[in-house]
Structures are given as C-alpha cells and as structure tokens.
Amino acid sequence: MLRPLAKPALALAGTMALAACSGSDAATADFPTWRNSDVNVVSRMVSAAGVATATSMRPDGTLETVALDLTSGKKLWAQPATMEGRLPGMGVPPPAIVDSVIVSLDPRKRGKWNANLVARDARTGRQKWIRPVHSTFGPQRCGPYVCLSEHTALSTARVVVLDPASGKLMWKLPGIAEVEWSDANRVLLLRLASNPMIESYELKTGKLQWQQPIEQALGPGIDMSGGWAFGATGDNLVGYVAPYTNPGTKKVSTFGLFSLKIANGTINWMRPSVVRVYPSGSPGLAPVVRPVDQQGQYGGFARLDAETGRVMGQITASQVPGSGWWLAFPGQMERLGFLKHNSAGTAFDLASGKSVPVKEQHGWSFCVTDPKPLPLKGQAPGFYSIASVCEFDLSNGKRVAGQNAPPFWFTGSHDGWRLWRDEKGGIHGIKDAAVSAPGMYG
C-alpha cells in the first residue's frame, strides 16, 4: 500500500459496535500490555504463533528484522534486513510470518543476486532455508504459504508461492502481484499490470478461480501509481485506488472505492471519484472519503458502510473549515474533528451532520504533520516510517497527557492483540480486542 495523504442515528450507533469493543480508554483498563522502546520500527507489525515481527531501523541507517514475544514485548532476536526493488512510495515492508516461521529479506553482497530470502524459526531465529533474490517487493503471508513477487525489476518478473517450512516452490505465476486477502484455501491477488485486476487462486493447486478487472468497478483509466489499499469485511473485499496525475499529460487517473465478493468476484458496490482520507479506518472496516468533482474540487466528508457502500454519516463541503486543519477522530469514529494545533478546532456529529461543541472533545490525529524521510543507508530516498497517531484536545489543539492506547480503527487487531508504533519507533501491545480486524494500514 502507498501512503499519501444517510443512515439514521440508531443505525449508525449499531454499526459502530465493532469499533466500540476497544477505545482510547483501553490502556486504563486491566488488560495485558507492554512497550518495547529498544527498537525503531519503521514498518507495519504482523504477528502469529505468539510472536510479533517488524522491520526496524538501526542507528546507522541499516534495517533489521526483529522478533518479539507477543505476550511480553521482549525481543527474541534480530537479523540484518534489506530492500531490493521496493518502490519508495510503498513504504518499508514488514517480514512475513506464517505459523512459527518468519520470512524476510537479508543483505547479500556477492554473485548475481542482490539479496537472500531467509526463513527462520519465529522464536529462536534459527535459519530454516535460503532463496536468492534479484529484486522483490517483499514476502507476504498467503494462507499457509509465503507469496513473493520476485525479479520485479526484470522482464522475467513472477509470483512464487513457497512452503514456509522448506522453501519448496508450490506454484508460480508470471508478472507482479500483491496479496490482499487469504485464508487456508484461497488467496486474492492484486495483479499489477496495464489492466490491473483482482484474481482468486486456490492455494493448494494455484488454479485460477475468478478474476475481476478493477476497470469493471471504477471505469477505464486506472493507474495504480497513486497508491491503493484493501481490507476485508465479512465475505467481501473492499478496495481503494488513489488518483494519480500523469506528469506528461496532466490527466488524473480513475480513482475510487469498490467492494467485491470474495467467493466469486462479483461487484457489490462502487463509489467512483472519492478519495480516502487519513487518518481513518481500513477500507474494510471504517472507510471515510471525500468526493471530488470533474474540476478537481473537493466535497464534504462521508463515513461509508463497508458492507453496503451507503453513506452512514456526512458533513457538507460548506461545513468544512478553511485551512490549516488536520482530521481527528475519536475512538468510535462517531464524530469528525478538525484539529488546529495550539488553537480551538471544530467537530461534527457524523450521524446528524451537526456541529458539536469542542469543549472536552478529544480526537486522534497524526502525531507529526511534516514527517521526514528515513535516513536509510544504501536505499533510494523517499521511504517514510509508518505513521503514529496521538490524542488531542480539540478545544485547544494540544496533545492529551498520558499514554492511552490508540483506537481500534487505527491499530486493528489479531488474536486479541493490538499493536502500534509510537512516534519514536517503539512498539506497544495490548490484549483487549474481541475480534480480529484490519487497522488503517491493513
């Protein structure tokens, strides 16, 4: 994923129930929690089999794969990591973790290969197998296997599906793809080609089950260069394609939000010509968007129902304050706040669309509004760490004191645990979630 930048009230309250299972007050309750400040995590965090893993940056600007015990946050091991062929706008990738195996990209300095794909025991770090790699976007979990787009900088680019225990090649496809969803039997891939599409494959055999061109949902003129994001809700996959302005023609590509059935690829709903806003929930959990007209003018803000694509709550363009604000949402996203640093902002109730007093109104927004690119050694410039959110008082634009856990819509959860990065790169964990769901970054 590349990072840039009406139902009645009772129905809105009901659909908010998922987000309500964990709010910003979670850290004050009696839940298992930990913090590890000995790392400087720059990627998303993923977990399985009682282990969390991420990519961290060392003081000298090199990368490393770190593995932490999920229940205590204690570092289990760390190994040097690298990127070879990753595009800056995609951000730093996390390792892949499948059952009790962590797969990551290690530096390699000899021969025709630029890196090694290495599988290690998640708890001990003991090496299990190595696969030399020329260029790749990074490994991803796909059900019980590891998926990897390799040779991405060559005309021979392909997707390989590997057994995490042995590194054995299970099946392969020509071209480049990214995993957007998987379970034990099926994987949905975004095929990055001149006609991008979502394809479903049977994991055991590699048999194509269905394919759906993104143009079918949003219309012709798709260009994935602007970025994308996906998230699952129930039996559906919700996708977002961001706009991209061609530097030569100055023409803006087709963009918007859409949903399709995981079982057969049928399109459920589509919302063309809307942009996703940040920070906000995953497209599969809590999409918040702004419409853009043909003249490039932005409309108001709308919270959509990920299941149906319907507007759950909105404010109009005339209600949006002038400039100098940043979006801020409370723990359950029932209100939309416009944060002005060190001064009073504004807030709206999303169900009614009416303005609400900002006294005692808190919201979560980006901790840093002007992030600096990472000083990575030996890498192309333009990589940024995954963002952090902080709690603000909308009445004065100042940060709220304390260490409350960020909202569920931002962190997501897996097996009851919610993980997040603070603005200094430390990892936090809390076990307070009732369900597994994607966060803002998947």
Side-chain angles (χ1 to χ4, degrees), residues 54-77:
T55 304
S56 179
M57 187 179 72
R58 293 170 167 171
D60 65 357
T62 60
L63 297 172
E64 66 179 0
T65 299
V66 295
L68 309 179
D69 178 77
L70 188 56
T71 59
S72 67
K74 178 183 177 182
K75 184 189 286 188
L76 299 172
W77 54 267

Side-chain angles (χ1 to χ4, degrees), residues 38-109:
D38 295 330
V39 294
N40 181 15
V41 167
V42 293
S43 76
R44 289 191 301 115
M45 291 141 279
V46 291
S47 62
V51 176
T53 185
T55 304
S56 179
M57 187 179 72
R58 293 170 167 171
D60 65 357
T62 60
L63 297 172
E64 66 179 0
T65 299
V66 295
L68 309 179
D69 178 77
L70 188 56
T71 59
S72 67
K74 178 183 177 182
K75 184 189 286 188
L76 299 172
W77 54 267
Q79 288 289 340
T82 191
M83 296 182 290
E84 288 292 343
R86 183 85 170 177
L87 304 177
M90 301 179 76
V92 179
I97 182 167
V98 185
D99 297 326
S100 58
V101 178
I102 291 176
V103 183
S104 57
L105 206 64
D106 283 25
R108 177 184 174 122
K109 298 298 184 183

Side-chain angles (χ1 to χ4, degrees), residues 28 53 72 77 124 163 202 250 311 323 331-332 370 375 388 406 424:
T28 64
T53 185
S72 67
W77 54 267
T124 67
D163 181 337
E202 184 180 53
K250 307 301 180 184
V311 174
S323 60
Q332 297 174 32
D370 58 344
S388 302
K424 295 183 179 180

Side-chain angles (χ1 to χ4, degrees), residues 277-354:
V277 301
Y278 299 87
S280 64
S282 160
L285 178 71
V288 181
V289 299
R290 294 189 79 178
V292 184
D293 65 22
Q294 292 184 340
Q295 285 71 46
Q297 297 297 311
Y298 286 90
F301 290 82
R303 163 79 192 270
L304 305 181
D305 182 343
E307 287 284 350
T308 65
R310 294 174 181 169
V311 174
M312 296 170 58
Q314 64 182 327
I315 68 167
T316 64
S318 62
Q319 293 173 289
V320 178
S323 60
W325 48 261
W326 295 88
L327 291 183
F329 289 98
Q332 297 174 32
M333 296 189 78
E334 73 276 21
R335 295 182 300 278
L336 171 63
F338 294 93
L339 167 70
K340 288 200 171 185
H341 290 285
N342 298 313
S343 63
T346 52
F348 295 85
D349 178 80
L350 268 177
S352 65
K354 294 181 179 179

Side-chain angles (χ1 to χ4, degrees), residues 25-36:
D25 60 347
T28 64
D30 188 20
F31 293 114
T33 184
W34 52 260
R35 176 189 180 190
N36 188 320

